[in-house]
PDB file of all heavy atoms in Angstrom:
ATOM      1  N   HIS A  48     -22.729 -23.676  21.546  1.00 96.00           N
ATOM      2  CA  HIS A  48     -23.974 -23.441  22.304  1.00 96.00           C
ATOM      3  C   HIS A  48     -23.759 -22.435  23.424  1.00 96.00           C
ATOM      4  O   HIS A  48     -24.703 -22.125  24.160  1.00 96.00           O
ATOM      5  CB  HIS A  48     -24.484 -24.758  22.885  1.00 96.00           C
ATOM      6  CG  HIS A  48     -24.724 -25.809  21.855  1.00 96.00           C
ATOM      7  ND1 HIS A  48     -25.766 -25.757  20.953  1.00 96.00           N
ATOM      8  CD2 HIS A  48     -24.023 -26.927  21.549  1.00 96.00           C
ATOM      9  CE1 HIS A  48     -25.713 -26.811  20.161  1.00 96.00           C
ATOM     10  NE2 HIS A  48     -24.662 -27.540  20.501  1.00 96.00           N
ATOM     11  N   GLY A  49     -22.521 -21.985  23.562  1.00 96.00           N
ATOM     12  CA  GLY A  49     -22.213 -21.023  24.619  1.00 96.00           C
ATOM     13  C   GLY A  49     -21.802 -21.647  25.939  1.00 96.00           C
ATOM     14  O   GLY A  49     -21.601 -20.930  26.926  1.00 96.00           O
ATOM     15  N   THR A  50     -21.670 -22.947  25.974  1.00 98.00           N
ATOM     16  CA  THR A  50     -21.229 -23.613  27.194  1.00 98.00           C
ATOM     17  C   THR A  50     -19.737 -23.360  27.409  1.00 98.00           C
ATOM     18  O   THR A  50     -18.938 -23.533  26.489  1.00 98.00           O
ATOM     19  CB  THR A  50     -21.490 -25.120  27.112  1.00 98.00           C
ATOM     20  OG1 THR A  50     -22.901 -25.332  26.906  1.00 98.00           O
ATOM     21  CG2 THR A  50     -21.058 -25.814  28.396  1.00 98.00           C
ATOM     22  N   THR A  51     -19.393 -22.958  28.613  1.00 98.00           N
ATOM     23  CA  THR A  51     -18.011 -22.583  28.910  1.00 98.00           C
ATOM     24  C   THR A  51     -17.385 -23.498  29.961  1.00 98.00           C
ATOM     25  O   THR A  51     -18.072 -24.086  30.795  1.00 98.00           O
ATOM     26  CB  THR A  51     -17.938 -21.140  29.416  1.00 98.00           C
ATOM     27  OG1 THR A  51     -18.775 -21.012  30.580  1.00 98.00           O
ATOM     28  CG2 THR A  51     -18.421 -20.162  28.368  1.00 98.00           C
ATOM     29  N   ILE A  52     -16.088 -23.588  29.888  1.00 98.00           N
ATOM     30  CA  ILE A  52     -15.267 -24.295  30.869  1.00 98.00           C
ATOM     31  C   ILE A  52     -14.113 -23.379  31.237  1.00 98.00           C
ATOM     32  O   ILE A  52     -13.533 -22.719  30.367  1.00 98.00           O
ATOM     33  CB  ILE A  52     -14.729 -25.621  30.298  1.00 98.00           C
ATOM     34  CG1 ILE A  52     -15.872 -26.613  30.062  1.00 98.00           C
ATOM     35  CG2 ILE A  52     -13.688 -26.240  31.220  1.00 98.00           C
ATOM     36  CD1 ILE A  52     -15.433 -27.896  29.399  1.00 98.00           C
ATOM     37  N   TYR A  53     -13.781 -23.351  32.523  1.00 98.00           N
ATOM     38  CA  TYR A  53     -12.667 -22.543  33.004  1.00 98.00           C
ATOM     39  C   TYR A  53     -11.756 -23.380  33.887  1.00 98.00           C
ATOM     40  O   TYR A  53     -12.226 -24.232  34.644  1.00 98.00           O
ATOM     41  CB  TYR A  53     -13.156 -21.347  33.822  1.00 98.00           C
ATOM     42  CG  TYR A  53     -13.936 -20.322  33.040  1.00 98.00           C
ATOM     43  CD1 TYR A  53     -15.325 -20.371  32.999  1.00 98.00           C
ATOM     44  CD2 TYR A  53     -13.286 -19.307  32.350  1.00 98.00           C
ATOM     45  CE1 TYR A  53     -16.048 -19.436  32.277  1.00 98.00           C
ATOM     46  CE2 TYR A  53     -13.997 -18.362  31.637  1.00 98.00           C
ATOM     47  CZ  TYR A  53     -15.378 -18.433  31.595  1.00 98.00           C
ATOM     48  OH  TYR A  53     -16.088 -17.500  30.890  1.00 98.00           O
ATOM     49  N   ALA A  54     -10.479 -23.081  33.820  1.00 98.00           N
ATOM     50  CA  ALA A  54      -9.551 -23.648  34.786  1.00 98.00           C
ATOM     51  C   ALA A  54      -9.885 -23.069  36.156  1.00 98.00           C
ATOM     52  O   ALA A  54     -10.292 -21.893  36.265  1.00 98.00           O
ATOM     53  CB  ALA A  54      -8.113 -23.311  34.418  1.00 98.00           C
ATOM     54  N   GLN A  55      -9.706 -23.867  37.185  1.00 98.00           N
ATOM     55  CA  GLN A  55     -10.026 -23.397  38.532  1.00 98.00           C
ATOM     56  C   GLN A  55      -9.230 -22.147  38.877  1.00 98.00           C
ATOM     57  O   GLN A  55      -9.736 -21.258  39.574  1.00 98.00           O
ATOM     58  CB  GLN A  55      -9.715 -24.509  39.541  1.00 98.00           C
ATOM     59  CG  GLN A  55     -10.188 -24.209  40.953  1.00 98.00           C
ATOM     60  CD  GLN A  55     -11.685 -24.074  41.047  1.00 98.00           C
ATOM     61  OE1 GLN A  55     -12.441 -24.804  40.409  1.00 98.00           O
ATOM     62  NE2 GLN A  55     -12.143 -23.113  41.864  1.00 98.00           N
ATOM     63  N   SER A  56      -8.026 -22.063  38.361  1.00 97.00           N
ATOM     64  CA  SER A  56      -7.141 -20.947  38.693  1.00 97.00           C
ATOM     65  C   SER A  56      -7.611 -19.608  38.117  1.00 97.00           C
ATOM     66  O   SER A  56      -7.136 -18.556  38.553  1.00 97.00           O
ATOM     67  CB  SER A  56      -5.727 -21.240  38.197  1.00 97.00           C
ATOM     68  OG  SER A  56      -5.727 -21.469  36.790  1.00 97.00           O
ATOM     69  N   VAL A  57      -8.522 -19.635  37.148  1.00 98.00           N
ATOM     70  CA  VAL A  57      -8.966 -18.377  36.533  1.00 98.00           C
ATOM     71  C   VAL A  57     -10.446 -18.103  36.754  1.00 98.00           C
ATOM     72  O   VAL A  57     -10.941 -17.045  36.347  1.00 98.00           O
ATOM     73  CB  VAL A  57      -8.646 -18.349  35.023  1.00 98.00           C
ATOM     74  CG1 VAL A  57      -7.185 -18.646  34.769  1.00 98.00           C
ATOM     75  CG2 VAL A  57      -9.536 -19.309  34.237  1.00 98.00           C
ATOM     76  N   LYS A  58     -11.151 -19.016  37.375  1.00 98.00           N
ATOM     77  CA  LYS A  58     -12.588 -18.820  37.607  1.00 98.00           C
ATOM     78  C   LYS A  58     -12.835 -17.552  38.393  1.00 98.00           C
ATOM     79  O   LYS A  58     -12.158 -17.275  39.382  1.00 98.00           O
ATOM     80  CB  LYS A  58     -13.176 -20.022  38.352  1.00 98.00           C
ATOM     81  CG  LYS A  58     -13.493 -21.211  37.469  1.00 98.00           C
ATOM     82  CD  LYS A  58     -14.161 -22.329  38.272  1.00 98.00           C
ATOM     83  CE  LYS A  58     -14.502 -23.502  37.378  1.00 98.00           C
ATOM     84  NZ  LYS A  58     -15.118 -24.617  38.135  1.00 98.00           N
ATOM     85  N   GLY A  59     -13.807 -16.782  37.925  1.00 98.00           N
ATOM     86  CA  GLY A  59     -14.139 -15.530  38.585  1.00 98.00           C
ATOM     87  C   GLY A  59     -13.303 -14.355  38.131  1.00 98.00           C
ATOM     88  O   GLY A  59     -13.611 -13.200  38.458  1.00 98.00           O
ATOM     89  N   ARG A  60     -12.226 -14.622  37.397  1.00 98.00           N
ATOM     90  CA  ARG A  60     -11.362 -13.545  36.922  1.00 98.00           C
ATOM     91  C   ARG A  60     -11.370 -13.432  35.401  1.00 98.00           C
ATOM     92  O   ARG A  60     -11.273 -12.336  34.860  1.00 98.00           O
ATOM     93  CB  ARG A  60      -9.926 -13.767  37.399  1.00 98.00           C
ATOM     94  CG  ARG A  60      -9.766 -13.823  38.903  1.00 98.00           C
ATOM     95  CD  ARG A  60      -8.291 -13.839  39.313  1.00 98.00           C
ATOM     96  NE  ARG A  60      -7.601 -15.033  38.821  1.00 98.00           N
ATOM     97  CZ  ARG A  60      -6.559 -14.991  37.999  1.00 98.00           C
ATOM     98  NH1 ARG A  60      -6.097 -13.832  37.555  1.00 98.00           N
ATOM     99  NH2 ARG A  60      -5.971 -16.115  37.602  1.00 98.00           N
ATOM    100  N   PHE A  61     -11.457 -14.565  34.722  1.00 98.00           N
ATOM    101  CA  PHE A  61     -11.439 -14.586  33.260  1.00 98.00           C
ATOM    102  C   PHE A  61     -12.839 -14.888  32.740  1.00 98.00           C
ATOM    103  O   PHE A  61     -13.583 -15.668  33.343  1.00 98.00           O
ATOM    104  CB  PHE A  61     -10.486 -15.655  32.732  1.00 98.00           C
ATOM    105  CG  PHE A  61      -9.020 -15.380  32.957  1.00 98.00           C
ATOM    106  CD1 PHE A  61      -8.584 -14.371  33.802  1.00 98.00           C
ATOM    107  CD2 PHE A  61      -8.071 -16.153  32.313  1.00 98.00           C
ATOM    108  CE1 PHE A  61      -7.232 -14.134  34.005  1.00 98.00           C
ATOM    109  CE2 PHE A  61      -6.714 -15.934  32.499  1.00 98.00           C
ATOM    110  CZ  PHE A  61      -6.303 -14.919  33.354  1.00 98.00           C
ATOM    111  N   THR A  62     -13.158 -14.299  31.609  1.00 98.00           N
ATOM    112  CA  THR A  62     -14.435 -14.553  30.956  1.00 98.00           C
ATOM    113  C   THR A  62     -14.202 -14.781  29.479  1.00 98.00           C
ATOM    114  O   THR A  62     -13.530 -13.979  28.822  1.00 98.00           O
ATOM    115  CB  THR A  62     -15.400 -13.378  31.140  1.00 98.00           C
ATOM    116  OG1 THR A  62     -15.595 -13.127  32.533  1.00 98.00           O
ATOM    117  CG2 THR A  62     -16.753 -13.697  30.506  1.00 98.00           C
ATOM    118  N   ILE A  63     -14.760 -15.866  28.968  1.00 98.00           N
ATOM    119  CA  ILE A  63     -14.639 -16.154  27.546  1.00 98.00           C
ATOM    120  C   ILE A  63     -15.986 -15.932  26.868  1.00 98.00           C
ATOM    121  O   ILE A  63     -17.039 -16.196  27.457  1.00 98.00           O
ATOM    122  CB  ILE A  63     -14.145 -17.601  27.310  1.00 98.00           C
ATOM    123  CG1 ILE A  63     -13.744 -17.807  25.842  1.00 98.00           C
ATOM    124  CG2 ILE A  63     -15.167 -18.631  27.765  1.00 98.00           C
ATOM    125  CD1 ILE A  63     -12.997 -19.118  25.594  1.00 98.00           C
ATOM    126  N   SER A  64     -15.934 -15.412  25.677  1.00 98.00           N
ATOM    127  CA  SER A  64     -17.138 -15.224  24.882  1.00 98.00           C
ATOM    128  C   SER A  64     -16.809 -15.503  23.432  1.00 98.00           C
ATOM    129  O   SER A  64     -15.641 -15.508  23.031  1.00 98.00           O
ATOM    130  CB  SER A  64     -17.686 -13.806  25.044  1.00 98.00           C
ATOM    131  OG  SER A  64     -16.731 -12.848  24.611  1.00 98.00           O
ATOM    132  N   MET A  65     -17.837 -15.768  22.659  1.00 97.00           N
ATOM    133  CA  MET A  65     -17.630 -16.050  21.235  1.00 97.00           C
ATOM    134  C   MET A  65     -18.788 -15.492  20.437  1.00 97.00           C
ATOM    135  O   MET A  65     -19.951 -15.691  20.798  1.00 97.00           O
ATOM    136  CB  MET A  65     -17.490 -17.558  20.994  1.00 97.00           C
ATOM    137  CG  MET A  65     -17.238 -17.922  19.542  1.00 97.00           C
ATOM    138  SD  MET A  65     -16.702 -19.645  19.336  1.00 97.00           S
ATOM    139  CE  MET A  65     -18.180 -20.530  19.808  1.00 97.00           C
ATOM    140  N   ASP A  66     -18.456 -14.818  19.369  1.00 95.00           N
ATOM    141  CA  ASP A  66     -19.463 -14.266  18.469  1.00 95.00           C
ATOM    142  C   ASP A  66     -18.972 -14.475  17.042  1.00 95.00           C
ATOM    143  O   ASP A  66     -17.916 -13.951  16.660  1.00 95.00           O
ATOM    144  CB  ASP A  66     -19.676 -12.778  18.742  1.00 95.00           C
ATOM    145  CG  ASP A  66     -20.732 -12.165  17.839  1.00 95.00           C
ATOM    146  OD1 ASP A  66     -21.611 -12.896  17.358  1.00 95.00           O
ATOM    147  OD2 ASP A  66     -20.682 -10.941  17.606  1.00 95.00           O
ATOM    148  N   ASN A  67     -19.713 -15.242  16.292  1.00 94.00           N
ATOM    149  CA  ASN A  67     -19.360 -15.493  14.895  1.00 94.00           C
ATOM    150  C   ASN A  67     -17.926 -16.010  14.792  1.00 94.00           C
ATOM    151  O   ASN A  67     -17.157 -15.583  13.923  1.00 94.00           O
ATOM    152  CB  ASN A  67     -19.531 -14.230  14.042  1.00 94.00           C
ATOM    153  CG  ASN A  67     -19.581 -14.536  12.559  1.00 94.00           C
ATOM    154  OD1 ASN A  67     -19.960 -15.622  12.147  1.00 94.00           O
ATOM    155  ND2 ASN A  67     -19.181 -13.573  11.756  1.00 94.00           N
ATOM    156  N   PHE A  68     -17.578 -16.923  15.683  1.00 95.00           N
ATOM    157  CA  PHE A  68     -16.280 -17.587  15.710  1.00 95.00           C
ATOM    158  C   PHE A  68     -15.126 -16.616  15.935  1.00 95.00           C
ATOM    159  O   PHE A  68     -13.994 -16.857  15.525  1.00 95.00           O
ATOM    160  CB  PHE A  68     -16.069 -18.438  14.455  1.00 95.00           C
ATOM    161  CG  PHE A  68     -17.099 -19.515  14.334  1.00 95.00           C
ATOM    162  CD1 PHE A  68     -18.187 -19.363  13.496  1.00 95.00           C
ATOM    163  CD2 PHE A  68     -17.014 -20.669  15.105  1.00 95.00           C
ATOM    164  CE1 PHE A  68     -19.172 -20.346  13.419  1.00 95.00           C
ATOM    165  CE2 PHE A  68     -17.982 -21.666  15.024  1.00 95.00           C
ATOM    166  CZ  PHE A  68     -19.065 -21.494  14.179  1.00 95.00           C
ATOM    167  N   LYS A  69     -15.407 -15.516  16.577  1.00 97.00           N
ATOM    168  CA  LYS A  69     -14.372 -14.666  17.148  1.00 97.00           C
ATOM    169  C   LYS A  69     -14.481 -14.782  18.661  1.00 97.00           C
ATOM    170  O   LYS A  69     -15.529 -14.492  19.238  1.00 97.00           O
ATOM    171  CB  LYS A  69     -14.522 -13.207  16.725  1.00 97.00           C
ATOM    172  CG  LYS A  69     -13.433 -12.317  17.315  1.00 97.00           C
ATOM    173  CD  LYS A  69     -13.569 -10.880  16.853  1.00 97.00           C
ATOM    174  CE  LYS A  69     -12.475 -10.009  17.446  1.00 97.00           C
ATOM    175  NZ  LYS A  69     -12.570  -8.594  17.034  1.00 97.00           N
ATOM    176  N   THR A  70     -13.414 -15.236  19.261  1.00 97.00           N
ATOM    177  CA  THR A  70     -13.412 -15.503  20.691  1.00 97.00           C
ATOM    178  C   THR A  70     -12.659 -14.408  21.431  1.00 97.00           C
ATOM    179  O   THR A  70     -11.563 -14.011  21.008  1.00 97.00           O
ATOM    180  CB  THR A  70     -12.738 -16.867  20.964  1.00 97.00           C
ATOM    181  OG1 THR A  70     -13.452 -17.882  20.265  1.00 97.00           O
ATOM    182  CG2 THR A  70     -12.746 -17.189  22.443  1.00 97.00           C
ATOM    183  N   ILE A  71     -13.246 -13.958  22.522  1.00 98.00           N
ATOM    184  CA  ILE A  71     -12.628 -12.956  23.377  1.00 98.00           C
ATOM    185  C   ILE A  71     -12.362 -13.597  24.738  1.00 98.00           C
ATOM    186  O   ILE A  71     -13.258 -14.213  25.315  1.00 98.00           O
ATOM    187  CB  ILE A  71     -13.532 -11.736  23.571  1.00 98.00           C
ATOM    188  CG1 ILE A  71     -13.911 -11.115  22.217  1.00 98.00           C
ATOM    189  CG2 ILE A  71     -12.864 -10.714  24.469  1.00 98.00           C
ATOM    190  CD1 ILE A  71     -12.765 -10.494  21.482  1.00 98.00           C
ATOM    191  N   LEU A  72     -11.154 -13.440  25.225  1.00 98.00           N
ATOM    192  CA  LEU A  72     -10.825 -13.857  26.592  1.00 98.00           C
ATOM    193  C   LEU A  72     -10.517 -12.590  27.387  1.00 98.00           C
ATOM    194  O   LEU A  72      -9.471 -11.965  27.191  1.00 98.00           O
ATOM    195  CB  LEU A  72      -9.643 -14.816  26.621  1.00 98.00           C
ATOM    196  CG  LEU A  72      -9.308 -15.382  27.997  1.00 98.00           C
ATOM    197  CD1 LEU A  72     -10.434 -16.317  28.477  1.00 98.00           C
ATOM    198  CD2 LEU A  72      -7.985 -16.129  27.989  1.00 98.00           C
ATOM    199  N   GLN A  73     -11.449 -12.209  28.231  1.00 98.00           N
ATOM    200  CA  GLN A  73     -11.274 -11.037  29.081  1.00 98.00           C
ATOM    201  C   GLN A  73     -10.615 -11.491  30.379  1.00 98.00           C
ATOM    202  O   GLN A  73     -11.172 -12.310  31.108  1.00 98.00           O
ATOM    203  CB  GLN A  73     -12.620 -10.383  29.369  1.00 98.00           C
ATOM    204  CG  GLN A  73     -12.523  -9.164  30.276  1.00 98.00           C
ATOM    205  CD  GLN A  73     -11.730  -8.031  29.652  1.00 98.00           C
ATOM    206  OE1 GLN A  73     -11.894  -7.736  28.471  1.00 98.00           O
ATOM    207  NE2 GLN A  73     -10.876  -7.401  30.437  1.00 98.00           N
ATOM    208  N   MET A  74      -9.450 -10.954  30.648  1.00 98.00           N
ATOM    209  CA  MET A  74      -8.676 -11.376  31.811  1.00 98.00           C
ATOM    210  C   MET A  74      -8.599 -10.214  32.789  1.00 98.00           C
ATOM    211  O   MET A  74      -7.976  -9.179  32.487  1.00 98.00           O
ATOM    212  CB  MET A  74      -7.276 -11.818  31.387  1.00 98.00           C
ATOM    213  CG  MET A  74      -7.286 -12.900  30.313  1.00 98.00           C
ATOM    214  SD  MET A  74      -5.639 -13.520  29.917  1.00 98.00           S
ATOM    215  CE  MET A  74      -4.907 -12.058  29.187  1.00 98.00           C
ATOM    216  N   ASN A  75      -9.267 -10.363  33.919  1.00 98.00           N
ATOM    217  CA  ASN A  75      -9.276  -9.331  34.954  1.00 98.00           C
ATOM    218  C   ASN A  75      -8.491  -9.797  36.174  1.00 98.00           C
ATOM    219  O   ASN A  75      -8.227 -10.993  36.345  1.00 98.00           O
ATOM    220  CB  ASN A  75     -10.706  -9.001  35.355  1.00 98.00           C
ATOM    221  CG  ASN A  75     -11.520  -8.425  34.207  1.00 98.00           C
ATOM    222  OD1 ASN A  75     -10.999  -7.756  33.322  1.00 98.00           O
ATOM    223  ND2 ASN A  75     -12.820  -8.699  34.229  1.00 98.00           N
ATOM    224  N   SER A  76      -8.166  -8.861  37.017  1.00 98.00           N
ATOM    225  CA  SER A  76      -7.448  -9.164  38.264  1.00 98.00           C
ATOM    226  C   SER A  76      -6.260 -10.076  37.999  1.00 98.00           C
ATOM    227  O   SER A  76      -6.081 -11.104  38.666  1.00 98.00           O
ATOM    228  CB  SER A  76      -8.394  -9.812  39.276  1.00 98.00           C
ATOM    229  OG  SER A  76      -9.502  -8.978  39.532  1.00 98.00           O
ATOM    230  N   LEU A  77      -5.452  -9.688  37.047  1.00 98.00           N
ATOM    231  CA  LEU A  77      -4.325 -10.522  36.641  1.00 98.00           C
ATOM    232  C   LEU A  77      -3.359 -10.735  37.796  1.00 98.00           C
ATOM    233  O   LEU A  77      -3.144  -9.858  38.649  1.00 98.00           O
ATOM    234  CB  LEU A  77      -3.606  -9.896  35.456  1.00 98.00           C
ATOM    235  CG  LEU A  77      -4.312 -10.055  34.110  1.00 98.00           C
ATOM    236  CD1 LEU A  77      -3.744  -9.084  33.089  1.00 98.00           C
ATOM    237  CD2 LEU A  77      -4.204 -11.484  33.616  1.00 98.00           C
ATOM    238  N   LYS A  78      -2.777 -11.926  37.816  1.00 97.00           N
ATOM    239  CA  LYS A  78      -1.793 -12.296  38.820  1.00 97.00           C
ATOM    240  C   LYS A  78      -0.473 -12.623  38.132  1.00 97.00           C
ATOM    241  O   LYS A  78      -0.438 -12.966  36.938  1.00 97.00           O
ATOM    242  CB  LYS A  78      -2.267 -13.510  39.608  1.00 97.00           C
ATOM    243  CG  LYS A  78      -3.600 -13.331  40.317  1.00 97.00           C
ATOM    244  CD  LYS A  78      -4.004 -14.619  41.028  1.00 97.00           C
ATOM    245  CE  LYS A  78      -5.334 -14.457  41.733  1.00 97.00           C
ATOM    246  NZ  LYS A  78      -5.727 -15.706  42.441  1.00 97.00           N
ATOM    247  N   PHE A  79       0.599 -12.566  38.895  1.00 96.00           N
ATOM    248  CA  PHE A  79       1.912 -12.895  38.348  1.00 96.00           C
ATOM    249  C   PHE A  79       1.888 -14.287  37.717  1.00 96.00           C
ATOM    250  O   PHE A  79       2.484 -14.510  36.660  1.00 96.00           O
ATOM    251  CB  PHE A  79       2.965 -12.820  39.445  1.00 96.00           C
ATOM    252  CG  PHE A  79       4.313 -13.279  39.010  1.00 96.00           C
ATOM    253  CD1 PHE A  79       5.114 -12.481  38.208  1.00 96.00           C
ATOM    254  CD2 PHE A  79       4.792 -14.532  39.377  1.00 96.00           C
ATOM    255  CE1 PHE A  79       6.363 -12.909  37.783  1.00 96.00           C
ATOM    256  CE2 PHE A  79       6.035 -14.968  38.965  1.00 96.00           C
ATOM    257  CZ  PHE A  79       6.818 -14.157  38.173  1.00 96.00           C
ATOM    258  N   GLU A  80       1.182 -15.202  38.360  1.00 96.00           N
ATOM    259  CA  GLU A  80       1.167 -16.575  37.859  1.00 96.00           C
ATOM    260  C   GLU A  80       0.357 -16.754  36.588  1.00 96.00           C
ATOM    261  O   GLU A  80       0.302 -17.856  36.033  1.00 96.00           O
ATOM    262  CB  GLU A  80       0.654 -17.538  38.945  1.00 96.00           C
ATOM    263  CG  GLU A  80      -0.632 -17.121  39.606  1.00 96.00           C
ATOM    264  CD  GLU A  80      -0.392 -16.351  40.904  1.00 96.00           C
ATOM    265  OE1 GLU A  80       0.544 -15.521  40.952  1.00 96.00           O
ATOM    266  OE2 GLU A  80      -1.173 -16.563  41.856  1.00 96.00           O
ATOM    267  N   ASP A  81      -0.283 -15.691  36.099  1.00 97.00           N
ATOM    268  CA  ASP A  81      -0.951 -15.760  34.798  1.00 97.00           C
ATOM    269  C   ASP A  81       0.041 -15.558  33.656  1.00 97.00           C
ATOM    270  O   ASP A  81      -0.323 -15.696  32.481  1.00 97.00           O
ATOM    271  CB  ASP A  81      -2.040 -14.696  34.705  1.00 97.00           C
ATOM    272  CG  ASP A  81      -3.198 -14.945  35.652  1.00 97.00           C
ATOM    273  OD1 ASP A  81      -3.586 -16.125  35.815  1.00 97.00           O
ATOM    274  OD2 ASP A  81      -3.707 -13.966  36.233  1.00 97.00           O
ATOM    275  N   THR A  82       1.268 -15.231  33.984  1.00 97.00           N
ATOM    276  CA  THR A  82       2.295 -15.042  32.966  1.00 97.00           C
ATOM    277  C   THR A  82       2.517 -16.337  32.200  1.00 97.00           C
ATOM    278  O   THR A  82       2.796 -17.381  32.794  1.00 97.00           O
ATOM    279  CB  THR A  82       3.615 -14.584  33.609  1.00 97.00           C
ATOM    280  OG1 THR A  82       3.412 -13.313  34.232  1.00 97.00           O
ATOM    281  CG2 THR A  82       4.710 -14.475  32.570  1.00 97.00           C
ATOM    282  N   ALA A  83       2.369 -16.275  30.891  1.00 98.00           N
ATOM    283  CA  ALA A  83       2.509 -17.468  30.053  1.00 98.00           C
ATOM    284  C   ALA A  83       2.342 -17.068  28.587  1.00 98.00           C
ATOM    285  O   ALA A  83       1.973 -15.936  28.276  1.00 98.00           O
ATOM    286  CB  ALA A  83       1.453 -18.508  30.418  1.00 98.00           C
TER     287      ALA A  83
END
């Protein structure tokens, strides 16, 4: 339905979207602690 959930640590920086079951995670303003 397009409802999204984000970890507090990525809110405002990451955006998730889905189209025809292809999911995109756009990660902006990356931080060292995003390494994983």
Side-chain angles (χ1 to χ4, degrees):
H48 303 289
T50 301
T51 57
I52 293 175
Y53 294 95
Q55 188 63 39
S56 58
V57 307
K58 279 184 179 178
R60 300 188 297 120
F61 291 12
T62 303
I63 192 169
S64 61
M65 181 167 67
D66 181 25
N67 197 26
F68 299 100
K69 180 178 180 180
T70 301
I71 303 293
L72 185 68
Q73 179 64 43
M74 305 185 294
N75 297 329
S76 303
L77 284 164
K78 302 178 180 181
F79 174 76
E80 50 265 40
D81 293 321
T82 297

